[in-house]
């Protein structure tokens, strides 16, 4: 499941602090710029994952009668299908 807005904020803060603390980045400007960049990247990633979730749900909906007939575990099937859709989209989960 994609990160929510609160999780994105927290993760962007942590990434920013760790990059600076570990000496990987030296800032000439305000730390907020780095945090904004991290947040934007995480938001784009979360949006792509939501799109993959939607494509996966649509795919499973197409086969819903077969899935129901076989009594398949829909949670496990969703995870497996999502991995496949993500791979086809070139997205690393």
């Amino acid at each position: 499941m994609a990160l929510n807005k609160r999780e994105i904020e927290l993760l962007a803060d942590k990434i920013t602090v760790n990059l600076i603390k570990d000496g990987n980045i030296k800032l000439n400007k305000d730390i907020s710029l780095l945090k904004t960049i991290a947040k934007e990247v995480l938001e784009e990633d979360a949006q792509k994952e939501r799109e993959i979730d939607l494509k996966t749900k649509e795919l499973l909906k197409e086969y819903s009668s077969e899935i129901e007939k076989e009594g398949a575990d829909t949670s496990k099937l969703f995870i497996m299908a999502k991995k496949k859709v993500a791979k086809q989209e070139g997205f690393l989960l």
Side-chain angles (χ1 to χ4, degrees):
M1 208 40 98
L3 296 173
N4 64 42
K5 187 175 181 169
R6 174 90 173 116
E7 292 168 329
I8 289 172
E9 288 283 339
L10 292 171
L11 192 53
D13 283 339
K14 188 157 185 76
I15 289 169
T16 302
V17 168
N18 285 340
L19 284 171
I20 294 168
K21 183 178 80 172
D22 294 344
N24 294 317
I25 291 182
K26 294 187 186 217
L27 291 178
N28 294 330
K29 296 193 178 206
D30 188 6
I31 191 172
S32 64
L33 176 62
L34 181 58
K35 181 183 173 192
T36 299
I37 292 168
K39 184 180 169 192
E40 287 173 359
V41 170
L42 291 168
E43 286 171 343
E44 289 172 14
D45 190 66
Q47 180 58 37
K48 182 65 177 174
E49 187 170 354
R50 283 190 284 276
E51 291 170 9
I52 287 171
D53 283 345
L54 184 59
K55 287 181 181 182
T56 303
K57 287 175 186 175
E58 290 171 0
L59 178 65
L60 293 179
K61 191 175 183 179
E62 289 178 30
Y63 296 96
S64 62
S65 59
E66 290 90 344
I67 293 168
E68 189 176 315
K69 195 183 328 178
E70 294 294 325
D73 182 337
T74 55
S75 297
K76 287 182 182 177
L77 193 55
F78 180 83
I79 292 168
M80 290 170 40
K82 181 176 177 179
K83 286 178 183 178
K84 186 170 185 170
V85 170
K87 185 176 181 179
Q88 290 171 344
E89 295 285 323
F91 184 80
L92 183 62
L93 292 174

